[in-house]
Amino acid sequence: MPRRIGLEIGTAKTKLVVGNTYRNEFKLSSYEVFDTLDGVYTIDEDIDLLRMETPIREAMGRLSVKSGELYVTINNEKVIIRTRELPRVAPKEMLDIVRFEAESFLPYDIDAFYIDYKVLDEVDEKEIGNSEEKQVFFNVMIIAAPKEVVDQYIELALRLKLKLKTVTVYTEAATKYFGKHYLEENKNTLFVDIGNKFTNMTMYEGCNYFANIKTERGIHGMYERLVDHHGFNEHDVKYYMYNYTGEIGEPIRRDKEETVSLNEDNSLKDLQMKLQSIQKANSNLSEADTDLLSLRNREYDSIINEVNRMVEFFKTRKYGTFVDQIYIFGGGAYLSDFSDAVHDTLGVPCEILPNKSYTDSIDKENYELMIPSIGACLGGKS
């Protein structure tokens, strides 16, 4: 049986997993996480995935991989996903209907996209038009992936001498993984993937996919604003983002000339937030440390507001239902006190996604990063 190689080229990190499937389980044998090169994703939204040929080839060499089947996950803002209720018809007819629906929401010519779909579940019978006739409908996920992105993966596979088996999108790959390890029939779960540039939120009603929202909020932007805009030094920002727990401890030692003060309007909200920060934090903190902690909490709030947007969207669309559990993962999973802040603000239990399946083969820090690439390898025949 050919080895399966899962690949996701993220904006900050590229993830490569190697293994085999047995009874619909992916048995991981090795993996690597390495930096995505500058210029692969540009500020102008240009994409040059072929720049990653050499780093991926080198990683394959370290993992002793010379051949295999490639399973790609595309995690890109140019991919467009919509859900629609469509009549139950034969697959060929469904594809025609899906293409017709896609034309209504695509920003430009449909010929620039590869169009696919996935039937999520069956909807109750619905009346057709004004007649009393009823027909069964499907809840369908419509996927539109730009050809410019997919074609680069096709070329990349050829250069790496790998057989490209499937190209899937983040939402579908993650759903495969969550469905296998986390989803429960009577529990509504929200998964929040905090990445370098984006935060990806995927909501499930029981075991059924509900919606995905991708927002331009990530840990890199948070870090840049604190360092470049507010002028704090990199060491302090990293400390308060990843190491400070809000409990009593020693303040950061600074030379006097490094002290930073903020020139902001002292609005009531600002003063309240600063007071909360001071009450929660170490009373021995310097003024600059207190300001940094307050601004860090505001950055947290901006992501939490996006999470709340998904929570409220679910509650309004699914009247009478609530989100039972929030899991956070990705590069921002270990932001200090973040899961507690989500719980305190939204009143929904929130925790870092636990490693339920690969505790012996993936270290704690990398586990959450590997989910999309492992998810791409799940299911199907080689």
Side-chain angles (χ1 to χ4, degrees), residues 23 64 77 82 193 293 311 338:
R23 293 183 178 177
S64 301
E77 66 273 19
R82 297 288 187 272
D193 181 357
L293 187 60
V311 170
F338 183 75

Side-chain angles (χ1 to χ4, degrees), residues 82-105 115-128 134-143:
R82 297 288 187 272
T83 55
R84 296 287 189 270
E85 291 184 1
L86 303 176
R88 184 174 66 181
V89 294
K92 186 179 184 307
E93 292 179 79
M94 179 64 79
L95 186 56
D96 291 337
I97 295 173
V98 163
R99 288 183 62 83
F100 179 78
E101 285 289 331
E103 287 185 312
S104 68
F105 62 74
I115 308 297
D116 200 0
Y117 71 93
K118 180 179 178 62
V119 175
L120 301 174
D121 51 38
E122 191 174 286
V123 183
D124 291 337
E125 288 187 341
K126 297 174 63 175
E127 291 184 0
I128 303 173
K134 291 187 177 182
Q135 184 175 356
V136 175
F137 278 67
F138 283 143
N139 188 24
V140 178
M141 178 193 294
I142 302 175
I143 304 162

